[in-house]
Amino acid sequence: MTDAPAGARRLLIRDLEQLATPAGGGAPLRGHELGAVDVVEGAYVLCAGGRIESVGRMRDLHGLDGDVEELDGEGLCAIPGLVDCHTHACFAGDRVEEFSLRSAGAGYEELHAAGGGILSTVRATRAAGAEGLRAALRRHRGWMLRAGTTTFEAKSGYGLDRETELASLRAISDAGGVPTYLGAHAVPPEADSADEYLEWLLSEVLPEAAELAEAADVFVERGAFDVTQARRYLGEARRRGLALRLHADQFTEAGGIELAIELGARSVDHLEATGDGGVRALGRSDVIAVLLPASALFLGRPMPPARLLVDAGAVIALATDFNPGSAFCESLPLVASLACTQLRLGPAEALAACTVNAAHVLDRADRKGRLAAGYDADVVLIDAPDWRYLSYHLGGELVAAVIQGGDEVWRR
Ligand code: NIG
Ligand code: FE
């Protein structure tokens, strides 16, 4: 129990069918701990002053003093507010034309090489202006919230010029997100080469971006940046105090995992092309493997080797990769379903991977990702008799209500 400040507003979520939360108090969870979940039948959650005051069984809840607002949880299960640790939600426009071309056989990398793909979103994002971009992000943020995401990371990377990159990072913080500087996402059309662009961003954008962002990210791939360029970029980012993240092994194994381990990066994300050597290396390291099955599904690509990673002892997290080109999907419940149906994870592993472990990617696992006393009162109520519906109800109308910081922010 924590002591709520005197007079703090209290909310009792009562008569829940179940409450489910990753077991224990540590982070990250790996190996068999990833699959350990505490389930309370006939439960309540008591929130006070934006934090969880206590959780437990209804039958152990005795008269509460003072003013307490109540929310009826009958027929519902409570899980921690979901944490989306990898999104590109700060974009303008869409790529529905490209989607349609891809459905007729055009390749994602081929469209990118022809100046479409990421660069078409760069054009739309630059053209939107700071206010247009904020409005687009607010809209995307609303979609994520209604899918149960109470904490989200979002990357820049669709500006690639100084003004739009910094505007993106400011818009993300102002929308309550965790900003990541993805200056090294693609080479913009005005640059003569990747090297020239990188040197420019390191001197002209990174110093200010590092004041706004918590992490830096780079796309290591043919047609984007190679390991030498990524090492230079991430080295400078680390010098300025940013956590390091990499998009790696999406299409080819290009050395991103080895670089992530060498630099002590926070995470290496995607891994659809990762082979046995990469799995073994991650199994021996603390770099978090962020898996994005909605992106693999959306592009018709192989799924990342999630089961092998977990069994090798690697730390994994799940995220949507929400973006207009490779994963137009804001739903972590759908990702949890894909984790169980495509990645051979169990419902408890999927839950931990998009709550406590995702919070660990964002360095917030001490207050996000669990339903326990002292944690932030971020709670998702799902319309289900059993918490495993999170992954069982494929694409269903699952989320009944979202509580963020002790306030009900959305109800179906
Ligand atoms: O994580 N692969 C690089 N970046 C994004 C996609 C960006 C886009 O297609 O707009 C990703 O898949
Ligand atoms: Fe991504």
Side-chain angles (χ1 to χ4, degrees):
M1 261 245 198
T2 50
D3 295 323
R9 221 168 55 73
R10 290 164 106 200
L11 171 71
L12 173 68
I13 309 169
R14 58 178 305 139
D15 294 309
L16 290 157
E17 300 297 319
Q18 292 180 335
L19 171 156
T21 184
L29 299 177
R30 62 208 297 171
H32 68 271
E33 283 192 342
L34 186 71
V37 60
D38 285 337
V39 180
V40 182
E41 306 281 342
Y44 76 88
V45 182
L46 180 61
C47 312
R51 297 284 185 91
I52 295 176
E53 184 176 321
S54 64
V55 302
R57 290 177 304 183
M58 278 307 291
R59 64 167 190 252
D60 298 331
L61 180 71
H62 304 297
L64 295 171
D65 298 335
D67 265 1
V68 182
E69 202 180 311
E70 295 198 358
L71 201 163
D72 182 8
E74 214 181 300
L76 308 176
C77 290
I79 58 171
L82 302 175
V83 178
D84 200 341
C85 66
H86 180 141
T87 88
H88 304 252
C90 192
F91 65 87
D94 63 34
R95 302 244 284 279
V96 66
E97 267 325 312
E98 172 185 315
F99 177 74
S100 173
L101 292 173
R102 279 203 302 107
S103 70
Y108 176 82
E109 286 185 281
E110 187 191 328
L111 290 158
H112 177 71
I118 295 172
L119 293 176
S120 72
T121 300
V122 169
R123 287 189 286 277
T125 302
R126 288 178 176 180
E131 268 323 301
L133 191 53
R134 282 172 183 277
L137 178 58
R138 271 199 302 275
R139 181 159 182 257
H140 303 151
R141 204 274 163 280
W143 296 348
M144 292 193 277
L145 190 77
R146 293 193 284 279
T149 295
T150 52
T151 301
F152 74 101
E153 177 261 16
K155 303 168 197 302
S156 67
Y158 289 127
L160 308 180
D161 60 14
R162 181 182 151 78
E163 189 186 335
T164 318
E165 284 293 303
L166 298 177
S168 300
L169 295 172
R170 289 194 190 97
I172 294 162
S173 319
D174 292 350
V178 178
T180 296
Y181 176 51
L182 179 54
H185 194 196
V187 180
E190 62 275 13
D192 287 334
S193 68
D195 285 327
E196 180 206 284
Y197 170 62
L198 274 185
E199 291 312 315
W200 171 81
L201 79 81
L202 291 178
S203 65
E204 301 302 319
V205 190
L206 181 68
E208 202 165 335
E211 301 295 315
L212 301 168
E214 296 192 15
D217 198 341
V218 52
F219 185 20
V220 181
E221 190 57 73
R222 62 185 175 206
F225 299 91
D226 65 24
V227 159
T228 307
Q229 291 159 342
R231 185 183 286 109
R232 165 107 178 100
Y233 168 81
L234 293 174
E236 287 299 307
R238 180 168 59 183
R239 216 168 54 74
R240 293 188 179 271
L242 295 175
L244 308 183
R245 304 187 60 180
L246 296 86
H247 280 67
D249 292 5
Q250 184 179 11
F251 300 102
T252 54
E253 285 192 285
I257 291 179
E258 293 74 8
L259 181 64
I261 293 171
E262 169 194 323
L263 297 177
R266 180 71 57 75
S267 76
V268 61
D269 307 35
H270 271 292
L271 310 180
E272 290 92 317
T274 298
D276 292 345
V279 168
R280 276 196 302 275
L282 285 172
R284 291 189 299 264
S285 89
D286 291 329
V287 177
I288 306 160
V290 177
L291 308 177
L292 311 165
S295 169
L297 181 78
F298 202 74
L299 294 185
R301 302 279 311 158
M303 289 286 160
R307 187 72 261 158
L308 296 175
L309 284 163
V310 174
D311 293 345
V315 183
I316 65 145
L318 287 165
T320 59
D321 197 22
F322 176 41
N323 76 74
S326 72
F328 194 51
C329 170
E330 70 280 8
S331 170
L332 279 171
L334 182 67
V335 167
S337 292
L338 294 175
C340 293
T341 59
Q342 311 299 309
L343 300 184
R344 298 199 292 127
L345 300 183
E349 293 173 320
L351 177 71
C354 61
T355 54
V356 58
N357 277 14
H360 183 69
V361 174
L362 303 181
D363 198 21
R364 282 162 170 75
D366 57 336
R367 56 197 167 95
K368 304 277 184 195
R370 280 193 170 93
L371 295 181
Y375 282 75
D376 289 356
D378 296 343
V379 187
V380 175
L381 301 181
I382 60 173
D383 189 357
D386 185 296
W387 67 274
R388 291 171 295 184
Y389 273 52
L390 170 67
S391 37
Y392 170 53
H393 198 171
L394 180 65
E397 282 206 349
L398 184 79
V399 177
V402 179
I403 290 94
Q404 193 177 35
D407 293 321
E408 184 180 309
V409 289
W410 185 73
R411 192 196 292 234
R412 184 178 296 285

